[in-house]
Amino acid sequence: MTATATTALPARALLLDMDGTLVNSDAAVERVWRRWADRQGLDGDEIMKVVHGRQGYASMALLLPDRPMEQNYADNARMLAEETADTEGVVEIPGAAAFLASLHGLPHALVTSADVALSTARMAAAGLALPDVRVTAESVGASKPDPEGFLKGAAELGIAPADCIAFEDSGAGIKAARAAGMRVVGVGPRAGFHGPDVVVEDLTRVRVEALGDGTLRLHIG
């Protein structure tokens, strides 16, 4: 559902995706992936329907199912380097800086398909502080939509998955959070197509309240 009236959700921790959720990196993502599509003779518009939320090699495996995974891993490494160097147009999702600041001292983690270098570069370009707990591409063996990243984030915070709320923008990310047993706040225009518990346009109308007994109340709307 879209958050029109105020919605209040209880939680003990928040797990936050990066691209499309905290950081608007769509322009940079499109530049890199459309160049890759051209090199492979693929339609750029079609590949952009697939790549959001996943690690690059996982998207390539879907797009070129007969290609050896070794080539996907090699291309993925090159593209991560390209993306890390290309931060033009990378900005915060409205409200992200204030929302992250409000989480200081509260249980939360970044759960992203980006690696350490890319997540550090994009968060810095958007003027956002990195959470202390971060689950990046190096931390997991399987890309979203596998739930490993979200489960690892919950474990590192010491919070049961059912007591976590994930913030996600993509189908792969929402599926991963659902598979981890978490409720999901969908952020932005892509999210509403994939069945999150609630959808917000951005983070300007999201507020977290610490109740003092180790629980949080998330106010949306």
Side-chain angles (χ1 to χ4, degrees), residues 17 24 69 84 114 128-129 180 199:
D17 174 51
N24 182 345
M69 281 302 296
T84 301
L128 300 177
V199 182

Side-chain angles (χ1 to χ4, degrees), residues 6-219:
T6 300
T7 300
L9 300 174
R12 299 184 75 88
L14 306 180
L15 300 180
L16 313 172
D17 174 51
M18 182 182 71
D19 291 303
T21 301
L22 298 173
V23 171
N24 182 345
S25 56
D26 281 2
V29 171
E30 287 227 6
R31 285 192 292 270
V32 170
W33 275 102
R34 285 184 182 276
R35 286 197 298 268
W36 182 84
D38 287 343
R39 291 195 294 268
Q40 306 303 322
L42 299 174
D43 181 87
D45 291 339
E46 290 304 311
I47 71 110
M48 292 313 301
K49 297 175 182 177
V50 173
V51 301
H52 292 290
R54 294 180 175 85
Q55 292 190 44
Y57 72 82
S59 295
M60 294 171 196
L62 288 173
L63 293 161
L64 296 172
D66 297 325
R67 193 166 82 145
M69 281 302 296
E70 290 78 8
Q71 288 182 249
N72 296 338
Y73 290 130
D75 271 8
N76 186 57
R78 285 190 291 269
M79 290 175 69
L80 281 170
E82 288 181 44
E83 288 183 285
T84 301
D86 182 1
T87 57
E88 182 181 352
V90 173
V91 296
E92 70 164 316
I93 295 293
F99 182 56
L100 282 170
S102 76
L103 297 181
H104 182 72
L106 303 178
H108 69 288
L110 187 73
V111 180
T112 176
S113 294
D115 64 4
V116 169
L118 180 56
S119 58
T120 301
R122 283 191 175 157
M123 291 288 280
L128 300 177
L130 280 163
D132 292 337
V133 178
R134 301 184 288 275
V135 178
T136 61
E138 296 93 339
S139 309
V140 298
S143 169
K144 298 173 184 175
D146 191 281
E148 182 184 358
F150 282 115
L151 291 171
K152 185 161 188 175
E156 291 197 17
L157 294 171
I159 304 295
D163 291 327
C164 297
I165 293 177
F167 283 68
E168 267 288 358
D169 72 300
S170 71
I174 292 170
K175 186 175 181 180
R178 285 279 191 227
M182 298 176 184
R183 290 154 295 152
V184 186
V185 174
V187 181
R190 285 188 290 268
F193 296 103
H194 303 287
D197 292 276
V198 62
V199 182
V200 295
E201 182 178 345
D202 54 37
L203 298 173
T204 56
R205 297 176 66 189
V206 180
R207 181 175 62 87
V208 65
E209 176 188 8
L211 300 181
D213 59 354
T215 62
L216 310 174
R217 184 176 290 133
L218 193 64
H219 299 275

